[in-house]
Amino acid sequence: MNNPAVETDFEHRLVEAIQPIRHLALAHALYTVLDNGVYQTVKAEPGLTSAAIAERHGLDAERFAGLCLYLANEGYFAQRAKGAQEGWHLTEKAKALEPFQPWYTLLVGGYAQTFGQLGEVLKHGAPFATRDGAKVGAGSCGMSMFDALPLADRLLNTLPAQDLTVVDLGCGDAAFLTELVRRRPGLRRGRTAGRGTGRRDRGPRHRTGARG
């Protein structure tokens, strides 16, 4: 009986075929260290050992050490040689991620569970998928600092400066509104609660907000 022909390129094709799985795992790993404070700790105090970082953040030391090695393999963490600052630090590739943390918060923290329900929600009569609304709101407001906030600034520049009130209609963590007020100390703010109810201030009102 002849043995089947060996596919000499199988491993190469396998690596290519599972790249989406690699990116799924990497997105979750990066979101985790951005969300739980590890990223900021490693940035602020390069050279800490994985055990020291784990203790500070209440993590399992052995498992976290494995995560550090994984992120090093992907080019985000690096370990200095003995004699320098021993322990972990961020690579330039990792440092470049910081402005984009809101996208990880919204899309991974907020919607990972949504994508995991895809098989079920596609069925006839199935309910809508769920999401983590708090993460969606926080990520949305963070993203808005790069697009909607500059746009709102330009809009406010066209309006009378006196007695101006901006009302946030919801969907977010109020960071958008807070940043507007920080930039414009004379601005009055109002934020709705629940379904369209909440504080109402007298004076001219203009609506602005973030994606949801």
Side-chain angles (χ1 to χ4, degrees), residues 9 17 21 36 55 61 66 87-88 108 128 147 168 187 192 204 209:
D9 66 337
I21 302 173
N36 66 7
E55 182 178 5
W88 294 101
V108 183
F128 290 111
D147 49 24
D168 181 350
L187 194 67
T192 63

Side-chain angles (χ1 to χ4, degrees), residues 11-186:
E11 289 187 359
H12 295 288
R13 291 190 294 112
L14 172 64
V15 170
E16 179 63 26
I18 65 175
Q19 286 305 297
I21 302 173
R22 172 197 173 198
H23 293 306
L24 172 67
L26 182 56
H28 279 278
L30 292 173
Y31 163 71
T32 296
V33 296
L34 286 165
D35 185 65
N36 66 7
V38 164
Y39 179 96
Q40 289 299 330
T41 295
V42 178
K43 176 188 174 186
E45 301 178 57
L48 290 176
T49 64
S50 61
I53 301 168
E55 182 178 5
R56 182 172 302 185
H57 291 278
L59 307 175
D60 180 279
E62 187 174 356
R63 294 174 184 175
F64 179 67
L67 179 61
C68 289
L69 291 172
Y70 168 71
L71 289 173
N73 186 64
E74 291 290 351
Y76 291 92
F77 277 17
Q79 200 168 24
R80 285 190 170 91
K82 191 173 182 179
Q85 277 185 301
E86 292 188 53
W88 294 101
H89 68 277
L90 300 179
T91 64
E92 292 303 314
K93 182 178 180 180
K95 292 174 183 177
L97 281 179
E98 189 168 19
F100 310 109
Q101 179 173 352
W103 280 262
Y104 283 85
T105 301
L106 187 148
L107 296 170
V108 183
Y111 286 107
Q113 63 180 271
T114 309
F115 294 123
Q117 299 166 42
L118 188 58
E120 290 300 315
V121 300
L122 284 175
K123 295 178 180 177
H124 180 70
F128 290 111
T130 60
R131 64 178 186 173
D132 186 324
K135 296 297 185 184
V136 170
S140 170
C141 285
M143 292 165 67
S144 296
M145 300 299 167
F146 297 90
D147 49 24
L149 187 65
L151 182 63
D153 257 338
R154 291 198 295 272
L155 174 63
L156 291 173
N157 285 336
T158 69
L159 300 172
Q162 300 298 320
D163 299 321
L164 185 64
T165 299
V166 175
V167 179
D168 181 350
L169 297 181
C171 187
D173 62 356
F176 182 94
L177 185 60
T178 300
E179 180 63 18
L180 275 179
V181 174
R182 186 190 69 78
R183 295 185 182 196
R184 297 169 178 267

Side-chain angles (χ1 to χ4, degrees), residues 183-198:
R183 295 185 182 196
R184 297 169 178 267
L187 194 67
R188 292 190 296 176
R189 62 182 176 178
R191 192 164 195 268
T192 63
R195 296 187 177 181
T197 62

